[in-house]
Amino acid sequence: MPYTLSQIAASLGLLLEGDGTIEVVGLAEPASARADQLALAMKPEFAEALPQGAAQAAMLWQGADWRAMGLKAALMAPRPRFAMAGLSAMMDPGQGYGTGIHPTAVVDPSARIGADVSIGPMTVIAAGARIGAGSVIGPQCLIGWEAELGEGALLHSGVRIGARVRIGARFIAQPGAVVGADGFSFVTPEPSGVEKARATLGADGTDVTQSWARIHSLGGVEIGDDVELGANSCIDRGTVRATRIGDGCKFDNLVQIGHNVQIGKDCMICAQVGVAGSTRIGDGVVLGGQSGVSDNLVIGDRAILGGATVVLSNVPAGRVMLGYPAMKMDSHIESYKGLRRLPRLFRDVAELKKAVSNLMVKH
Amino acid sequence: MPYTLSQIAASLGLLLEGDGTIEVVGLAEPASARADQLALAMKPEFAEALPQGAAQAAMLWQGADWRAMGLKAALMAPRPRFAMAGLSAMMDPGQGYGTGIHPTAVVDPSARIGADVSIGPMTVIAAGARIGAGSVIGPQCLIGWEAELGEGALLHSGVRIGARVRIGARFIAQPGAVVGADGFSFVTPEPSGVEKARATLGADGTDVTQSWARIHSLGGVEIGDDVELGANSCIDRGTVRATRIGDGCKFDNLVQIGHNVQIGKDCMICAQVGVAGSTRIGDGVVLGGQSGVSDNLVIGDRAILGGATVVLSNVPAGRVMLGYPAMKMDSHIESYKGLRRLPRLFRDVAELKKAVSNLMVKH
Amino acid sequence: MPYTLSQIAASLGLLLEGDGTIEVVGLAEPASARADQLALAMKPEFAEALPQGAAQAAMLWQGADWRAMGLKAALMAPRPRFAMAGLSAMMDPGQGYGTGIHPTAVVDPSARIGADVSIGPMTVIAAGARIGAGSVIGPQCLIGWEAELGEGALLHSGVRIGARVRIGARFIAQPGAVVGADGFSFVTPEPSGVEKARATLGADGTDVTQSWARIHSLGGVEIGDDVELGANSCIDRGTVRATRIGDGCKFDNLVQIGHNVQIGKDCMICAQVGVAGSTRIGDGVVLGGQSGVSDNLVIGDRAILGGATVVLSNVPAGRVMLGYPAMKMDSHIESYKGLRRLPRLFRDVAELKKAVSNLMVKH
């Protein structure tokens, strides 16, 4: 769908310079932009490639000399990266899901479906489920027994929402995401090797193999507004109380959130992160890709874990952590600089020992 | 479904004190318990919150003074955590799957379906598959060609069981779990860079790029009784023989088990664990969240890997391991204490060098 | 389906010795081989178990004395492991998917389906999708709006291909694989704590929690020929340009490939690997299981990352890396040898300090 630059500027509050009647149908990188695309050149180094493409207009940084770049118009913003949010939303053609309830969908008569909801082929809506107005439920999804989805949800294909899960408004879930699988909670008749190893810091395992008895997950999952969940990610239900996710949290693909976990608002949880059972995470926390947080810990507000960081103890608010086991990022960089130079340190100490030994002989 | 405390005590072998006619419909944490819920206060610190809730009865530790807590009755057990297994099972309302075969399910006429089996909407049962009596197959599952499921299975939505996979009794699989995908097995016409790097411990890579030829996975997967598999977890089929999982193993979400792997009985494999091809794991082994085991290794009975531990060589029975590369847990703690103090050690050695150099000048 | 040894030898270019009329229906390990199976004994240590089985013929290394092993015939190859590719393909009975379009599949009339395509039950083919001749699309798959699949594709159950994704010939995808989920791209109104922490190497976090605005993914995914994708693996679409995967790449299960990533040809990406957004990977690269590559990096041709290696900076061509943070494999081995001996080094230095201090007193 084409927009004029004036429409875009007005809709997103951007600064427009030049010919606002130019129409664009999409976004492109400078070198490959067609005349009907808006080139994205938000830093001077990207603008250099503009002559290789055919763009008439570009999204630029504030103060850029667009005329010298051979453009007929430019959009500008104080923080162009933030402008990308609105721009990309306007230009997104989406997945082409249909409207209304597809004839192959199985919708239980007791489910309450809001106005203007789209339900895709092969999707199953169980008894007592509620789906908020304006939601789009893609193909092959399951909305479980008495589960509840707020307004304006967008579920891509194969998303599975378990029984009694409650989710707020504008939830987005990528294909294969699972909310409300059972927590991983088992118990042995006698204290297990893990319980012993934790108590003794590993000095003592066990010499008996016991069978694991399942503890059922009776709690649900409660998710706030404006949460997104990545492809094939999993949020488990709680044991007794609910697993809880605050407003505005964003989860990437293949993330695992264990039972009873509590996450504050506006957290960013990158791909393949794992958070073990009963851990509490504050507001605005960022967990880098492949990072892990052990069970029953507390991660303070706005803490940041770098990629693949593994946290085995509590993290205070605002702390930036890196490594396994996690250290403060600057300490980690120092320590690992040392680790690389360790073979040389051993040689130095060996020489010192020899020298000191010689000196001692002389006395 | 309400139960009297007497019914619960009799059914689970718990000690009952006080009014056994009190009925409860669920479990709750002490602070939020309603009068018709059994409060869980299995340690003194949890019992302190009882007055904030409305519970008439609680599950307590042995010897607890329930009258002083204002309760009318109490259930007690020598290991209350173990009692949770039975309690939670009694109180679990489940997912509300229906009975019988849903009209939208596609069941091949040659499949053999046991008595009292439930098959959900959009589920596909392929030719020659066998499903044991009393099983519940949720919506949108696939049971592949000549695959075999024992009695009392519970498959949640979207579980995929490949052709010729054989699974014992009481198997539970969470949404999106996959059993019997092809193993990841490829070969180059000439020895590859990986083969060379392993042979030379990394001193020598390769300067030629070769294409990978696929080795098909002809083996199946054989899973014992009482096994559970988490959401979106994967167990690959073997190359020639079957991948084998022993009785009583429990797998959390997003776990990867490679081709030809052999796992003993009663192992606990936590979320996001990876076990590479042809590795053999003993009985009662615990693999902590995000831990990894390289290919062709042997992990002894009752070994324990802490969270995110990466094992690149064999682990003897009973050993508790931590870190990457994995060390004995106590050595790991010592070594990483040293790593944190390493910058200071470098400074100390630099000072020593200066001091020794001065001393040597004087001689 | 039975083959004579002569047929196998001719078809795969193997050396045949002995009775070529012997028929086999499958492959087996030496100890469990039946008379109608070809035993695999490609190294002398495997051949020792032949007498325990009933094989009449075996696949052996070149020059093996098959008569002395009691066999009637043998197949041989200069690189027997490579011969396994052809052998296993001949013997694979497959998953038993049907032919033609299953009556429960929903195929949009505007989709273009090639000759001899099989589409399984409950599969959805969206508007404008194109599927190449000879492809097999398993049960419960989704081929999205205007997505394009080349000839000879094999999609197992529950594979989800998003809108506008373009895939070359002979693509194989295991159950639950997802191509074309949205990239994980969010932006805050003001620079976020992550942006600050990166700029200052962790010295400075943030004390404000901001909400994340979504950047939509307008780019597609472009995948070359002969690519395989493992179970529940995810390849995200690009933001503006496409995420690109070269010919011949093989991905194992539970892999995450972020938005805008570019991967060359013939790469092997093992299970649970994560590659973060906008990273470029060369040809013939091997990423070991659970390894991770941070965003916006460059990994040179034929680089190899050992299992669980975490790369936070560029890797030159041909380099073999190990560890977190990644080091050259041989340096890693040296450094971690030192780490294990670190507690002793601290003791040595403490003793040296005492000795030097004593020596200094004497002067």
Side-chain angles (χ1 to χ4, degrees):
Chain A
M1 174 153 122
Y3 292 99
T4 66
L5 297 183
S6 297
Q7 284 173 322
I8 295 172
S11 170
L12 303 177
L14 302 179
L15 180 67
L16 167 66
E17 296 189 4
D19 180 358
T21 67
I22 292 173
E23 281 189 346
V24 292
V25 299
L27 308 179
E29 300 194 339
S32 60
R34 302 186 313 249
D36 63 350
Q37 290 176 316
L38 180 70
L40 299 170
M42 303 188 290
K43 290 181 186 173
E45 58 264 40
F46 299 151
E48 286 165 18
L50 279 167
Q52 300 167 40
Q56 304 185 77
M59 177 79 210
L60 300 173
W61 63 100
Q62 243 173 344
D65 183 1
W66 54 274
R67 284 180 192 85
M69 298 170 195
L71 298 171
K72 296 184 182 160
L75 293 169
M76 292 163 177
R79 182 159 155 79
R81 188 169 154 72
F82 185 66
M84 268 300 288
L87 264 180
S88 64
M90 285 183 82
M91 297 296 174
D92 189 353
Q95 294 284 320
Y97 299 134
T99 54
I101 299 178
H102 194 275
T104 62
V106 172
V107 180
D108 190 277
S110 67
R112 280 178 280 167
I113 311 295
D116 298 319
V117 165
S118 156
I119 297 180
M122 312 299 171
T123 281
V124 176
I125 314 286
R130 275 173 286 177
I131 297 179
S135 293
V136 174
I137 312 298
Q140 301 152 330
C141 294
L142 169 67
I143 311 295
W145 183 28
E146 296 191 342
E148 192 180 327
L149 261 179
E151 297 193 355
L154 171 56
L155 269 56
H156 292 284
S157 62
V159 171
R160 307 173 190 290
I161 309 293
R164 297 176 300 283
V165 166
R166 285 160 47 187
I167 300 179
R170 295 171 298 281
F171 180 63
I172 298 178
Q174 303 296 326
V178 175
V179 181
D182 288 340
F184 192 66
S185 188
F186 295 91
V187 60
T188 46
E190 303 300 323
S192 69
V194 175
E195 290 171 76
K196 285 184 194 169
R198 286 192 166 199
T200 61
L201 288 182
D204 192 6
T206 176
D207 53 2
V208 184
T209 301
Q210 302 182 74
S211 291
W212 301 97
R214 150 176 264 264
I215 295 180
H216 285 241
S217 296
L218 309 181
V221 179
E222 292 174 14
I223 294 181
D225 295 333
D226 299 299
V227 170
E228 302 203 14
L229 187 55
N232 288 337
S233 282
C234 305
I235 301 178
D236 281 357
R237 59 180 63 247
T239 308
V240 174
R241 65 168 191 267
T243 301
R244 289 199 184 92
I245 310 294
D247 293 344
C249 286
K250 314 297 182 186
F251 296 84
D252 199 353
N253 300 344
L254 295 167
V255 167
Q256 155 67 4
I257 305 296
H259 57 281
N260 303 337
V261 167
Q262 314 287 316
I263 300 185
K265 63 190 181 72
D266 294 325
C267 292
M268 166 161 285
I269 288 98
C270 299
Q272 298 177 316
V273 163
V275 179
S278 300
T279 280
R280 283 178 294 138
I281 292 179
D283 295 339
V285 169
V286 176
L287 305 183
Q290 296 188 325
S291 63
V293 184
S294 195
D295 59 290
N296 288 287
L297 298 182
V298 177
I299 309 295
D301 293 345
R302 293 176 301 280
I304 298 176
L305 306 193
T309 294
V310 176
V311 165
L312 303 173
S313 54
N314 294 341
V315 175
R319 185 64 60 84
V320 182
M321 306 290 286
L322 198 62
Y324 171 32
M327 303 183 199
K328 283 183 66 172
M329 186 170 165
D330 45 6
S331 308
H332 182 270
I333 289 169
E334 275 308 297
S335 287
Y336 279 80
K337 233 184 253 170
L339 183 63
R340 283 165 203 268
R341 290 158 51 207
L342 204 47
R344 194 171 136 190
L345 187 67
F346 273 93
R347 287 194 296 273
D348 285 358
V349 171
E351 278 168 28
L352 274 172
K353 278 163 97 168
K354 208 178 298 174
V356 169
S357 162
N358 284 342
L359 286 167
M360 287 171 79
V361 165
K362 295 182 184 171
H363 290 271
Chain B
M1 175 153 123
Y3 293 98
T4 65
L5 297 183
S6 298
Q7 285 173 321
I8 295 172
S11 168
L12 303 177
L14 303 178
L15 180 67
L16 167 67
E17 297 190 5
D19 181 359
T21 68
I22 293 175
E23 282 189 347
V24 292
V25 299
L27 308 180
E29 299 195 339
S32 61
R34 302 185 314 249
D36 63 351
Q37 290 177 314
L38 181 70
L40 298 171
M42 303 188 290
K43 290 181 186 173
E45 59 264 39
F46 299 151
E48 287 165 17
L50 279 168
Q52 300 167 41
Q56 303 184 78
M59 176 79 210
L60 300 172
W61 63 99
Q62 243 171 344
D65 183 0
W66 53 274
R67 284 180 192 85
M69 298 171 196
L71 298 171
K72 296 184 182 160
L75 294 169
M76 292 163 178
R79 182 159 156 79
R81 189 169 153 72
F82 185 67
M84 267 301 287
L87 263 179
S88 65
M90 286 184 80
M91 297 296 176
D92 188 354
Q95 294 283 319
Y97 300 134
T99 55
I101 298 179
H102 194 275
T104 62
V106 172
V107 180
D108 190 277
S110 67
R112 281 179 277 167
I113 312 295
D116 298 320
V117 166
S118 156
I119 297 180
M122 312 299 170
T123 281
V124 176
I125 314 287
R130 276 174 285 176
I131 299 180
S135 293
V136 174
I137 312 297
Q140 302 152 328
C141 294
L142 169 67
I143 310 296
W145 183 29
E146 297 191 342
E148 191 179 329
L149 262 178
E151 298 194 354
L154 171 57
L155 269 56
H156 292 286
S157 62
V159 171
R160 307 172 191 291
I161 308 294
R164 297 175 299 283
V165 166
R166 285 161 46 189
I167 300 178
R170 295 171 298 283
F171 180 63
I172 297 179
Q174 302 296 326
V178 175
V179 181
D182 288 340
F184 192 66
S185 188
F186 295 91
V187 61
T188 47
E190 302 300 323
S192 69
V194 175
E195 289 171 78
K196 286 183 193 172
R198 286 192 166 199
T200 61
L201 288 182
D204 193 5
T206 176
D207 53 2
V208 184
T209 301
Q210 302 182 74
S211 291
W212 301 97
R214 150 175 265 264
I215 295 179
H216 286 242
S217 295
L218 310 180
V221 180
E222 293 174 13
I223 295 180
D225 296 333
D226 299 300
V227 171
E228 302 204 13
L229 186 55
N232 288 337
S233 282
C234 306
I235 302 179
D236 280 356
R237 59 180 63 245
T239 307
V240 173
R241 65 168 192 267
T243 301
R244 288 198 185 92
I245 312 293
D247 293 344
C249 288
K250 314 296 182 186
F251 297 83
D252 199 353
N253 300 343
L254 295 166
V255 167
Q256 156 67 4
I257 305 297
H259 57 283
N260 302 339
V261 167
Q262 314 286 317
I263 301 184
K265 64 189 181 72
D266 294 325
C267 293
M268 166 160 286
I269 288 99
C270 298
Q272 298 177 313
V273 163
V275 179
S278 300
T279 280
R280 284 178 292 139
I281 292 179
D283 295 339
V285 170
V286 176
L287 305 183
Q290 297 188 324
S291 63
V293 183
S294 196
D295 59 291
N296 287 288
L297 298 183
V298 177
I299 310 294
D301 293 345
R302 293 175 302 282
I304 297 176
L305 306 192
T309 295
V310 176
V311 165
L312 303 173
S313 55
N314 293 343
V315 175
R319 185 65 60 84
V320 182
M321 304 291 285
L322 198 62
Y324 172 30
M327 304 183 200
K328 282 183 65 172
M329 185 171 166
D330 46 4
S331 308
H332 182 271
I333 290 170
E334 275 309 297
S335 286
Y336 279 80
K337 232 185 250 170
L339 184 62
R340 283 165 203 269
R341 290 159 50 209
L342 204 48
R344 195 172 135 190
L345 187 67
F346 273 94
R347 286 193 297 273
D348 285 358
V349 171
E351 278 169 28
L352 273 172
K353 278 163 98 169
K354 208 178 298 173
V356 169
S357 162
N358 284 340
L359 287 167
M360 288 171 77
V361 166
K362 293 182 185 171
H363 291 272
Chain C
M1 173 153 124
Y3 293 98
T4 65
L5 297 184
S6 298
Q7 285 173 321
I8 295 173
S11 169
L12 303 178
L14 303 179
L15 179 68
L16 168 67
E17 296 189 4
D19 180 359
T21 68
I22 292 175
E23 281 190 345
V24 292
V25 299
L27 308 180
E29 299 195 338
S32 61
R34 303 186 314 248
D36 63 351
Q37 290 176 316
L38 181 70
L40 299 171
M42 303 188 289
K43 291 181 186 174
E45 58 263 42
F46 299 150
E48 287 165 18
L50 279 167
Q52 300 167 42
Q56 304 184 78
M59 176 81 211
L60 300 173
W61 64 101
Q62 243 171 343
D65 183 359
W66 53 273
R67 284 179 192 86
M69 299 170 195
L71 298 171
K72 297 184 182 159
L75 293 169
M76 292 163 177
R79 182 158 155 80
R81 188 169 155 71
F82 186 66
M84 267 300 288
L87 263 180
S88 64
M90 286 183 82
M91 298 296 175
D92 189 353
Q95 294 283 319
Y97 299 135
T99 54
I101 299 178
H102 194 274
T104 62
V106 172
V107 180
D108 190 278
S110 67
R112 280 178 279 167
I113 311 296
D116 298 319
V117 166
S118 155
I119 297 181
M122 313 299 170
T123 281
V124 176
I125 313 287
R130 276 173 286 176
I131 299 180
S135 293
V136 175
I137 314 296
Q140 302 153 329
C141 293
L142 169 67
I143 310 296
W145 183 28
E146 296 191 342
E148 191 180 328
L149 261 178
E151 297 192 356
L154 171 57
L155 270 54
H156 292 285
S157 63
V159 171
R160 306 172 191 292
I161 308 294
R164 297 176 299 283
V165 166
R166 285 160 46 187
I167 300 178
R170 295 171 298 283
F171 181 63
I172 298 179
Q174 302 296 325
V178 174
V179 182
D182 288 341
F184 193 65
S185 187
F186 295 91
V187 60
T188 47
E190 303 300 324
S192 69
V194 175
E195 289 171 77
K196 285 184 193 171
R198 286 193 166 198
T200 61
L201 288 182
D204 192 5
T206 176
D207 52 2
V208 184
T209 302
Q210 302 182 75
S211 291
W212 300 97
R214 150 177 264 264
I215 295 179
H216 286 242
S217 295
L218 309 181
V221 180
E222 293 174 14
I223 295 180
D225 295 333
D226 299 300
V227 170
E228 302 203 14
L229 187 55
N232 288 337
S233 282
C234 305
I235 301 179
D236 281 356
R237 59 179 64 245
T239 307
V240 173
R241 65 169 192 265
T243 301
R244 289 199 185 92
I245 310 294
D247 293 344
C249 287
K250 314 297 183 186
F251 297 83
D252 198 353
N253 300 343
L254 295 167
V255 167
Q256 155 68 4
I257 305 297
H259 57 282
N260 302 338
V261 167
Q262 315 286 317
I263 301 184
K265 64 190 181 71
D266 293 325
C267 293
M268 166 161 286
I269 288 100
C270 298
Q272 299 177 315
V273 164
V275 179
S278 300
T279 281
R280 284 178 293 140
I281 292 179
D283 295 339
V285 170
V286 176
L287 306 183
Q290 297 188 325
S291 64
V293 183
S294 195
D295 59 290
N296 287 288
L297 298 182
V298 177
I299 309 294
D301 293 344
R302 293 176 302 281
I304 297 175
L305 306 192
T309 294
V310 176
V311 165
L312 304 173
S313 54
N314 294 342
V315 175
R319 185 65 61 82
V320 183
M321 305 290 286
L322 198 62
Y324 173 31
M327 304 184 199
K328 284 182 64 172
M329 187 170 164
D330 46 4
S331 309
H332 183 271
I333 290 169
E334 275 308 297
S335 286
Y336 279 80
K337 234 184 250 171
L339 183 63
R340 283 165 203 267
R341 290 158 51 207
L342 204 47
R344 193 170 136 191
L345 187 66
F346 273 94
R347 286 194 296 273
D348 284 358
V349 171
E351 277 168 28
L352 272 172
K353 278 162 97 169
K354 210 179 295 172
V356 169
S357 162
N358 285 341
L359 286 167
M360 288 171 78
V361 165
K362 294 183 185 170
H363 291 271

